[in-house]
């Protein structure tokens, strides 16, 4: 009887292994940096097909990128004393701070949609000189998009400079990749002018993220779709899940490369010929780090009309990206934009 039970158990194990569902996201395209830059018709079609089917693809073999160095620096930053990090906090958490969007956000347990510690960087290193009425709400958001970065002042000058070097380079690398992705999508669709909507990209943001340990099973980012172009590093961390069919599947970690997806605005601008994938983040038992880069259209870019001249969903209410952002950002980032106390 014992032998029969053992054989039955082995058969059950073998049967379940054979019929274990294969993760369909393993079929998403992997495109090297060289292929992306060469931008041949074959690569354009490969990228486009993956975006249409899965809503994402992967970039690897980026020569200027060192994921291990970036992760190590990320860990060191978030390990700094809270008081040191709070010196960089956005205005919500430090009322004397000028910045409302670029800077540090501590872990907030009461947030309904996310559970993470963060630090945001942008493309600007000088103060914005207003060219309009500073009391105008749209001009205020233009100024937010052009906020200058704040950088760590930990007392360790070597670390502070290293952090700045690593993530300035990280921003530049991702921006280069995002520009190549936009160019590739535009040409694949027969509309190379798509890239012209991204010439300024003032609001583009590099986000450093730490999700605490001990959140296994909890959604630390609720399911959502992004807005524009996202270049994401998850390193070797699981936790990111994307919707395929009627089920959420684990997105393979980015490793030494990047995960790329687009959001609803770009889906509409491209006449839905690329898909905005719905995704979420599930906590794991250890600390989880990630670095998303959000590549946005220029503040004055037209988002009201698609590449073929059709009215977009956003175009029912807005003409420019800046108009859209002035309503979108307070809705999804109320903590960052609230006045300090």
């Amino acid at each position: 009887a014992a032998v029969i039970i053992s054989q039955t158990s082995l058969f059950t194990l073998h049967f379940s292994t054979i019929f274990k569902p294969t993760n369909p996201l393993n079929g998403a395209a992997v495109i090297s940096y060289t292929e992306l830059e060469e931008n041949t018709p074959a690569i354009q079609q490969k990228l486009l097909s993956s975006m249409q089917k899965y809503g994402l693809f992967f970039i690897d073999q980026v020569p200027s990128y060192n994921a291990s160095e970036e992760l190590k620096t990320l860990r060191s930053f978030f390990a700094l004393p809270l008081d040191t990090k709070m010196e960089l906090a956005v205005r919500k958490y430090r009322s004397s701070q000028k910045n409302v969007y670029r800077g540090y956000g501590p872990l907030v347990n009461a947030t309904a949609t996310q559970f993470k510690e963060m630090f945001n960087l942008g493309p600007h290193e000088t103060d914005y000189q207003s060219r309009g009425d500073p009391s105008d709400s749209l001009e205020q958001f233009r100024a937010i998009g052009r906020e200058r970065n704040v950088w760590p002042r930990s007392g360790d000058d070597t670390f502070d400079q290293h952090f700045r070097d690593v993530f300035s380079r990280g921003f530049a690398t991702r921006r280069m990749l995002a520009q190549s992705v936009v160019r590739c999508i535009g040409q694949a669709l027969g509309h190379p002018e798509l890239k012209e909507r991204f010439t300024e990209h003032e609001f583009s943001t590099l986000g450093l993220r730490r999700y605490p340990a001990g959140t296994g099973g909890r959604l630390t980012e609720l399911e959502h779709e992004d807005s524009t172009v996202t270049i994401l590093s998850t390193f070797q961390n699981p936790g990111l899940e994307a919707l395929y069919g009627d089920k959420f599947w684990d997105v393979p970690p980015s490793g030494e490369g990047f995960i790329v997806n687009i959001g609803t605005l770009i889906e509409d601008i491209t006449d839905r010929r690329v898909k905005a994938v719905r995704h979420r983040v599930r906590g794991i038992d250890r600390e989880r780090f990630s670095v998303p880069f959000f590549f946005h259209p220029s503040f004055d870019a037209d988002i009201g009309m698609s590449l073929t001249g059709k009215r977009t969903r956003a175009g029912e209410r807005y003409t420019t990206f800046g108009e859209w952002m002035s309503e979108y950002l307070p809705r999804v980032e109320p903590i960052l934009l609230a006045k300090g106390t």
Side-chain angles (χ1 to χ4, degrees), residues 58 65 71 174 232-240 251-255 257-259 281 286 288-292:
F58 299 87
Y65 181 59
L71 179 58
R174 291 165 172 86
L232 175 65
S233 302
T234 57
F235 307 104
Q236 298 298 336
N237 294 309
L240 178 64
V251 178
S254 63
F258 301 93
I259 303 163
V281 177
R286 64 178 186 271
R288 182 181 184 277
F289 297 89
S290 68
V291 180

Side-chain angles (χ1 to χ4, degrees), residues 101-102 138 141-142 144-145 197-205 226-229 263-266 269 294-305 312 314-315 317-330:
Y101 192 53
R102 315 293 186 196
L138 198 59
F141 272 89
R142 188 187 298 275
I144 291 172
R197 303 197 193 200
F198 292 82
T199 53
E200 297 294 329
H201 52 267
E202 304 96 323
F203 254 109
S204 293
T205 299
D226 290 342
S227 302
T228 55
V229 180
T264 53
L265 283 180
I266 309 305
I269 288 171
F294 304 108
F295 187 58
H296 294 311
S298 304
F299 194 84
D300 294 318
D302 175 20
I303 62 166
M305 303 298 287
T312 63
R317 296 186 59 185
Y318 315 102
T319 300
T320 67
F321 177 72
E323 293 170 348
W324 178 88
M325 195 66 163
S326 67
E327 289 195 14
Y328 170 81
L329 196 56

Side-chain angles (χ1 to χ4, degrees), residues 13-193:
L13 177 62
H14 181 62
F15 184 86
S16 63
T17 301
I18 292 174
F19 290 96
K20 183 178 180 181
T22 300
N23 186 344
L25 300 184
N26 290 334
V30 179
I31 297 174
S32 73
Y33 166 78
T34 299
E35 290 174 324
L36 187 64
E37 289 301 299
E38 289 175 348
N39 193 26
T40 64
I43 292 301
Q44 292 170 14
Q45 188 55 48
K46 182 178 180 180
L47 184 157
L48 191 61
S49 295
S50 190
M51 295 296 277
Q52 290 170 337
K53 184 173 183 179
Y54 305 103
L56 58 88
F57 72 98
F58 299 87
I59 301 175
D60 69 356
Q61 300 177 44
V62 181
S64 60
Y65 181 59
N66 186 329
S68 299
E69 179 185 43
E70 200 169 79
L71 179 58
K72 181 179 179 181
T73 309
L74 194 62
R75 289 181 180 275
S76 296
F77 171 76
F78 283 116
L80 291 173
L82 180 60
D83 288 349
T84 300
K85 292 181 289 188
M86 287 300 292
E87 289 294 314
L88 309 173
V90 293
R91 190 184 300 167
K92 164 66 180 179
Y93 303 106
R94 181 172 172 241
S95 58
S96 60
Q97 179 64 281
K98 292 182 179 180
N99 285 23
V100 299
Y101 192 53
R102 315 293 186 196
Y104 175 71
L107 195 65
V108 178
N109 222 341
T111 302
T113 60
Q114 51 191 305
F115 186 55
K116 63 190 175 187
E117 187 178 9
M118 66 178 72
F119 185 72
N120 286 338
L121 295 166
H124 310 292
E125 298 296 345
T126 58
D127 290 321
Y128 171 63
Q129 301 300 317
S130 178
R131 63 191 189 193
D133 181 358
S135 65
D136 177 73
S137 61
L138 198 59
E139 181 62 19
Q140 290 173 359
F141 272 89
R142 188 187 298 275
I144 291 172
R146 290 185 175 271
E147 282 180 346
R148 69 183 300 172
N149 288 322
V150 293
W151 296 99
R153 298 182 298 275
S154 67
D156 181 341
D157 292 344
T158 301
F159 169 76
D160 293 348
Q161 188 59 53
H162 178 71
F163 178 90
R164 185 166 183 163
D165 290 344
V166 167
F167 288 109
S168 293
R169 187 166 61 247
F171 187 102
T173 295
R174 291 165 172 86
R175 176 169 56 189
M176 172 190 66
L177 294 174
Q179 289 169 330
S180 296
V181 168
V182 169
R183 183 183 71 241
C184 191
I185 291 174
Q187 292 183 355
L189 296 176
H191 290 276
E193 71 276 11

Side-chain angles (χ1 to χ4, degrees), residues 195-235:
K195 66 179 185 296
E196 296 171 8
R197 303 197 193 200
F198 292 82
T199 53
E200 297 294 329
H201 52 267
E202 304 96 323
F203 254 109
S204 293
T205 299
L206 182 69
L208 315 185
R209 306 288 188 253
R210 183 187 78 87
Y211 300 85
T215 57
R218 171 182 176 177
L219 288 180
T220 52
E221 293 271 7
L222 297 185
E223 59 182 77
H224 64 284
E225 295 164 347
D226 290 342
S227 302
T228 55
V229 180
T230 303
I231 310 289
L232 175 65
S233 302
T234 57
F235 307 104

